[in-house]
Amino acid sequence: MRPILILTKNLLIEQQLQNQLQHLNYEVLCSVELLNQLKMNAQSMRNKMDSQRNFQKSFLMDYQAIILSETISDSEIQELIANSQIIKQILLRKVVEEPSKREKERLKNMGSVDWILVDNSIHRLREQLSEKLSVHQNDESIITFLYQDEGLTSDTAQLKNSLSKREKMTLECLYKFQGKVVSREDLCSYIWNEEPSKSRLSQTSMLIRKIKEKMKRLGFHDEMIQTIWGEGYLLSNNFSNNRIQTR
């Protein structure tokens, strides 16, 4: 099950919701910093390349739902949606009381596909999520092997367990664009969610080297990750979550 992301301006007021979601066995990330980063990126999105825009989307799609706090204004939400940083199919607007028919229509027009009512009843929250997320639960195409434990070959499982958090993010990014060259700049933006710097680009190259070293020790083919000079990195189509060609 993919995690749920709560975007807010005040972490303290989200504690009850976060506790309830965790009680219902959802993995939750509650973030003010990520909201601020998305807002800043929205200002410059017009100047970004399509590839950078796609990386923003793919990062957010790791979450099965994005809950927008009542601390975020409607105009801020509209700006984020207009710049395609939020995938509206998984967007839930947090409200403190059930919206009227007119309010529901306004939410739809704003780009929010649905709303979620947060009260003191964990049972009601459970049923709301069950209903509102059910239409997305079959869409698992963007989940990579890094989130799965079943169906892995022994080599893949060993590799997964040997990777650091940043290394997992690096390989996850390459996996999402498997068979296509990913530039070092785009890879860097994905890993750190910020504009590439010389230091970050150097760290990205180091992460690639470490992953390739670990792959080699586990018997993976030398060309599983290729460095395309002047372009970026390419993960072989032979790399999958079920069958991997090894030496």
Side-chain angles (χ1 to χ4, degrees), residues 167 170 184 187 201-217 225 227 229 233:
E167 290 167 354
T170 303
R184 192 167 62 137
L187 187 57
L201 289 170
S202 177
Q203 291 178 60
T204 300
S205 298
M206 181 63 69
L207 287 169
I208 290 290
R209 285 198 293 271
K210 288 182 177 180
I211 293 171
K212 294 180 75 170
E213 289 172 0
K214 291 179 179 181
M215 281 184 158
K216 185 176 181 179
R217 287 199 296 268
I225 296 179
T227 300
W229 296 109
Y233 304 103

Side-chain angles (χ1 to χ4, degrees), residues 17-226:
L17 174 59
Q18 187 169 355
N19 290 337
Q20 288 180 324
L21 290 170
Q22 290 172 337
H23 182 83
L24 294 172
N25 202 33
Y26 290 98
E27 183 181 350
V28 183
L29 171 64
C30 185
S31 179
V32 174
E33 181 182 358
L34 182 54
L35 172 63
N36 291 335
Q37 290 176 351
L38 290 172
K39 287 168 62 179
M40 287 190 294
N41 289 342
Q43 300 295 329
S44 59
M45 186 60 70
R46 294 185 183 88
N47 299 323
K48 289 195 173 185
M49 297 171 58
D50 289 340
S51 58
Q52 292 174 297
R53 190 186 298 261
N54 289 336
F55 270 81
Q56 289 281 1
K57 288 184 180 182
S58 63
F59 172 77
L60 291 174
M61 283 190 69
D62 285 340
Y63 299 93
Q64 65 170 314
I66 300 173
I67 298 178
L68 297 172
S69 170
E70 69 274 24
T71 60
I72 306 173
S73 70
D74 290 351
S75 60
E76 290 172 313
I77 294 175
Q78 287 177 317
E79 183 177 19
L80 293 175
I81 294 174
N83 287 288
S84 302
Q85 294 191 78
I86 288 182
I87 312 302
K88 64 182 181 179
Q89 287 81 1
I90 55 173
L91 181 61
L92 296 172
R93 177 63 153 158
K94 178 186 169 190
V95 295
V96 295
E97 59 182 20
E98 186 166 350
S100 64
K101 183 177 180 180
R102 183 176 180 179
E103 179 70 8
K104 290 177 184 178
E105 187 64 28
R106 188 185 65 80
L107 287 173
K108 289 183 179 180
N109 292 336
M110 188 174 65
S112 175
V113 297
D114 219 326
W115 53 272
I116 186 170
L117 179 65
V118 180
D119 58 15
N120 294 322
S121 169
I122 194 170
H123 304 292
R124 184 169 186 180
L125 178 61
R126 179 193 63 210
E127 295 306 312
Q128 287 184 83
L129 289 173
S130 176
E131 174 188 352
K132 298 178 187 298
L133 299 182
S134 60
V135 295
H136 306 294
Q137 288 177 349
N138 292 327
D139 184 15
E140 299 293 331
S141 59
I142 59 90
I143 300 179
T144 72
F145 83 100
L146 295 172
Y147 297 118
Q148 301 171 346
D149 289 314
E150 297 180 359
L152 299 180
T153 66
S154 59
D155 292 329
T156 314
Q158 289 182 57
L159 176 63
K160 172 185 172 182
N161 293 331
S162 71
L163 297 176
S164 68
K165 179 181 178 180
R166 296 295 185 191
E167 290 167 354
K168 284 182 180 179
M169 292 182 70
T170 303
L171 189 54
E172 173 190 352
C173 179
L174 294 176
Y175 187 87
K176 287 182 179 181
F177 295 88
Q178 191 172 4
K180 297 180 180 179
V181 176
V182 180
S183 72
R184 192 167 62 137
E185 289 75 16
D186 282 342
L187 187 57
C188 182
S189 296
Y190 183 91
I191 298 169
W192 281 280
N193 195 33
E194 61 185 39
E195 292 295 323
S197 63
K198 290 184 178 179
S199 174
R200 292 301 193 197
L201 289 170
S202 177
Q203 291 178 60
T204 300
S205 298
M206 181 63 69
L207 287 169
I208 290 290
R209 285 198 293 271
K210 288 182 177 180
I211 293 171
K212 294 180 75 170
E213 289 172 0
K214 291 179 179 181
M215 281 184 158
K216 185 176 181 179
R217 287 199 296 268
L218 290 170
F220 288 87
H221 195 279
D222 289 340
E223 297 300 314
M224 197 62 72
I225 296 179
Q226 299 179 45

